Amino acid sequence: MDQVIWIEILSRHRDVATRHRCVGPEVRIGRGYDNDVVVDDPFVAVHHLRLFRDDAGRLVAEDLGSAGGLFLDRDKHRQARIVIDGDLPIRIGHTALRVREATHPVPRERAGRLEGRAGTIALDAVLAAAILGLQTLSVWVGDVDEPRVSRYVQSLLGFGAMVVAWVALWAILSRIFAGQARLERTLLIALAGLLAYLVYNEFEQFAAFALTWRGPAAYDYVVLWSILAATCFLHLRSIGPSGLKLKAGLVVGLLGVVIAAQTLTQFELRAEYGQQSYPRRLLPPALRLAPVQDENVFFAEVERLKSKLDSDRSTEPNEDSGR
């Protein structure tokens, strides 16, 4: 008795586009109408492929002498025959096929889509609330003038517009290359990246003002670009899990170039204009944790610098004497 063979024609995203049930000692696949499975692909021969069982009972795909050839998934090496395993697709022309027997095991059903989306939406809401709370607190702590509601509104609207634009861009790219917008997941990645940046930004501002730590503020651009690169990589991973090493290498390479370029710019600016002032925002005096310098120590340092300046001036060559 002939066993049932299922032929699945896959989309470019490797989703099942159509499925054909075939019964017989062998199955013929091609563009001609006398085949068991007709493939509408101009790069497929009229009689391109046949499936049969070898002496060991294995399913074998055999090229019938086509010009386009037979390949295993995305491999570029043409093959005359391929033993079918039911998992890896085969490719003829520009069409990917997957061959499975009726007894091929399938995974258990997934949880309802609405349940999975509900969890992602809940995480999105938590991250959005954390961002709104952190940004509102930041504006309130740094507000040294009369309180104005417009400051809070403008700050929150600015972040909202940035997130909407970012998510829309990646959702469109996901729709183009993966066939699905995956809006909830895209929003989750964007909010996580923004929250990480805001947390570090508050930390480095607090460290500069309260502890007089220069390092976190001096190299904040390294952290900013690293967070941006990690966010982009997660977006690329969400679009498609294939080629992750290539994607990671590309992101890390661009990250290194950008950081190196900005480091060079920072070095040149410091050489030209001197040490910059790191605290970029005033905070309440109660947050100042570094010990206050005694005034005698301060004026002693001023006198030391004054003496050094007078000494340097006295040792400069007299321009008039050289004339």
Side-chain angles (χ1 to χ4, degrees):
M1 181 178 178
D2 295 325
Q3 297 182 5
V4 175
I5 300 175
W6 288 94
I7 312 296
E8 298 174 344
I9 298 179
L10 309 179
S11 68
R12 63 189 181 96
H13 303 300
R14 294 304 188 258
D15 298 322
V16 178
T18 59
R19 187 178 282 116
H20 303 270
R21 183 178 185 272
C22 303
V23 179
E26 69 176 32
V27 178
R28 299 261 175 168
I29 303 174
R31 199 158 36 87
Y33 290 106
D34 56 343
N35 290 284
D36 299 295
V37 177
V38 178
V39 178
D40 295 321
D41 181 348
F43 296 92
V44 171
V46 176
H47 300 104
H48 198 118
L49 186 72
R50 81 178 182 109
L51 297 170
F52 65 95
R53 294 188 183 276
D54 61 8
D55 296 337
R58 302 174 301 178
L59 276 175
V60 178
E62 180 183 54
D63 186 7
L64 296 176
S66 65
L70 170 64
F71 302 88
L72 181 62
D73 198 13
R74 292 185 171 89
D75 188 38
K76 297 182 179 180
H77 299 287
R78 180 170 178 166
Q79 303 188 39
R81 288 187 175 186
I82 295 177
V83 177
I84 302 298
D85 67 354
D87 291 321
L88 280 179
I90 59 176
R91 179 167 48 87
I92 56 175
H94 290 175
T95 302
L97 306 172
R98 188 164 57 204
V99 181
R100 287 179 171 175
E101 300 189 58
T103 57
H104 187 85
V106 295
R108 296 184 60 182
E109 70 275 12
R110 296 181 181 177
R113 184 179 178 185
L114 292 178
E115 296 178 5
R117 290 184 61 186
T120 305
I121 292 174
L123 287 176
D124 289 339
V126 170
L127 290 178
I131 290 172
L132 292 176
L134 182 60
Q135 186 60 20
T136 301
L137 179 63
S138 176
V139 175
W140 178 75
V141 170
D143 198 351
V144 295
D145 298 329
E146 291 294 328
R148 294 181 182 179
V149 178
S150 60
R151 289 196 184 98
Y152 298 88
V153 174
Q154 291 174 1
S155 176
L156 297 179
L157 286 179
F159 277 107
M162 181 175 61
V163 170
V164 169
W166 181 270
V167 171
L169 172 63
W170 283 102
I172 292 173
L173 293 176
S174 180
R175 180 66 180 177
I176 294 173
F177 294 103
Q180 300 178 15
R182 296 170 180 168
L183 191 60
E184 296 86 1
R185 188 184 303 177
T186 303
L187 179 60
L188 179 65
I189 295 172
L191 292 176
L194 179 59
L195 181 60
Y197 165 71
L198 289 178
V199 169
Y200 182 82
N201 182 65
E202 293 304 313
F203 163 73
E204 59 100 352
Q205 287 294 320
F206 175 81
F209 179 84
L211 304 172
T212 64
W213 289 357
R214 296 180 176 181
Y219 299 100
D220 59 347
Y221 64 94
V222 177
V223 178
L224 170 61
W225 286 115
S226 298
I227 292 174
L228 184 62
T231 303
C232 291
F233 174 75
L234 291 176
H235 281 305
L236 292 173
R237 184 177 181 274
S238 177
I239 290 176
S242 60
L244 289 182
K245 292 184 179 180
L246 177 62
K247 294 174 183 177
L250 178 62
V251 170
V252 171
L254 291 175
L255 174 64
V257 171
V258 171
I259 290 178
Q262 191 157 351
T263 300
L264 178 61
T265 302
Q266 294 280 72
F267 177 79
E268 293 176 346
L269 289 176
R270 290 172 188 172
E272 184 174 357
Y273 298 105
Q275 188 71 36
Q276 67 181 40
S277 177
Y278 290 104
R280 296 187 291 272
R281 187 180 63 187
L282 293 177
L283 297 176
L287 296 179
R288 179 74 177 181
L289 301 181
V292 179
Q293 190 177 40
D294 183 79
E295 62 178 8
N296 295 326
V297 176
F298 174 77
F299 285 112
E301 181 67 16
V302 171
E303 289 297 328
R304 187 187 68 80
L305 293 175
K306 182 174 178 297
S307 300
K308 184 177 184 304
L309 181 61
D310 292 338
S311 176
D312 292 341
R313 286 176 176 174
S314 63
T315 57
E316 289 181 355
N318 192 336
E319 296 182 358
D320 294 336
S321 62
R323 293 179 181 176

